[in-house]
Amino acid sequence: FTFQPASGGAMLAAALVSQHRLRPSPPRAPPARLNWLADLFSPDAADSAAAELVLSELCEPEWAIRCELGAAVASSLGGSGSLARGRTDASTDVRLDCGVRFEIDAGFDPPQGTVRLARPSRLLAAEGFWKVSETDDRDVPRAISWRLQSTGIRAGEEELVPRGPLYFNALLEGDGSTLPLQLTAGRLTVKEDLGADVGIFRARGILAEFKIVGAFEAQRAIDPAQPPAS
């Protein structure tokens, strides 16, 4: 047989087909019915902004903390520890004032960081640790807790707070936008050994519960030049 060269029109058509086959396909968006999956696992921008605003309001000011510790206040708050079961007259209750500032460490969930005393105290360590202890369904912080080491707090011969960590727990109210952020329902707690018997072993130091030893109020410090902490 004899070879017949392709006509000009046939060669042009073949070239166009070849180019069409080699051209990459443009990216396509996922079907609309699958977009809800991305929305489900992506945090809402408004919720994220609300959480950041609350944390910013928490960390910017100095907070003036006024504590009341003792058997009477612990008992009035429903405490069940050894302090609340002791003498319940208010004569043994003591007050402790201090100022604190919160610093947030980036990259942690839940949010957490360092809490520092604004002024030195002979009863509390200069710095400790804080974290968000509760959030709402939008992941906006609604409660925090922090701890500071205590050198031991006494009222005369009675020990109110043993040497060791003292825990501060508070609710967060307000969004920092329409309503100023507030720390409310402040409770002071310590870990108390249950002293349970497990066979021939004592579980003291292993089994423990948080027990109320007092309450506190927190307000934004208006004048940073306040008297030293107690």
Side-chain angles (χ1 to χ4, degrees), residues 22-214:
L22 296 177
R23 186 180 300 121
S25 301
R28 292 184 298 175
R33 63 179 180 275
L34 297 181
N35 288 342
W36 66 272
L37 287 173
D39 296 337
L40 180 64
F41 294 104
S42 298
D44 184 83
D47 294 344
S48 178
E52 290 179 4
L53 182 57
V54 168
L55 293 172
S56 175
E57 288 289 302
L58 174 69
C59 294
E60 284 186 0
E62 174 188 330
W63 294 90
I65 309 297
R66 172 158 292 186
C67 308
E68 186 175 4
L69 305 102
V73 63
S75 178
S76 70
L77 295 172
S80 59
S82 58
L83 179 62
R85 297 194 304 267
R87 293 174 55 190
T88 57
D89 60 284
S91 63
T92 59
D93 288 358
V94 300
R95 294 187 181 275
L96 169 65
D97 296 342
C98 62
V100 298
R101 295 181 182 274
F102 299 99
E103 301 172 4
I104 190 168
D105 295 336
F108 290 94
D109 185 21
Q112 57 190 258
T114 301
V115 56
R116 302 183 191 276
L117 287 184
R119 286 160 293 282
S121 168
R122 59 186 177 83
L123 299 176
L124 298 173
E127 66 179 53
F129 171 81
W130 74 271
K131 69 174 181 178
V132 170
S133 54
E134 183 179 333
T135 61
D136 62 16
D137 55 1
R138 300 182 304 149
D139 282 340
V140 176
R142 284 294 170 251
I144 65 167
S145 63
W146 71 91
R147 69 171 182 259
L148 291 168
Q149 290 291 322
S150 165
T151 59
I153 301 174
R154 309 183 67 87
E157 298 300 318
E158 183 174 4
E159 183 180 65
L160 305 181
V161 176
R163 179 183 295 271
L166 176 61
Y167 298 86
F168 297 70
N169 312 274
L171 300 180
L172 297 176
E173 296 187 2
D175 55 12
S177 176
T178 57
L179 293 174
L181 185 69
Q182 298 182 52
L183 275 62
T184 64
R187 298 291 184 267
L188 296 163
T189 58
V190 296
K191 278 186 177 180
E192 192 169 294
D193 291 335
L194 298 181
D197 288 312
V198 183
I200 61 174
F201 300 100
R202 295 284 291 175
R204 184 171 299 278
I206 300 175
L207 300 177
E209 288 183 346
F210 287 98
K211 300 297 184 180
I212 296 175
V213 294

Side-chain angles (χ1 to χ4, degrees), residues 3-21:
F3 174 76
Q4 298 290 336
S7 64
M11 292 179 65
L12 178 60
L16 289 175
V17 170
S18 175
Q19 290 178 7
H20 177 74
R21 288 176 177 173

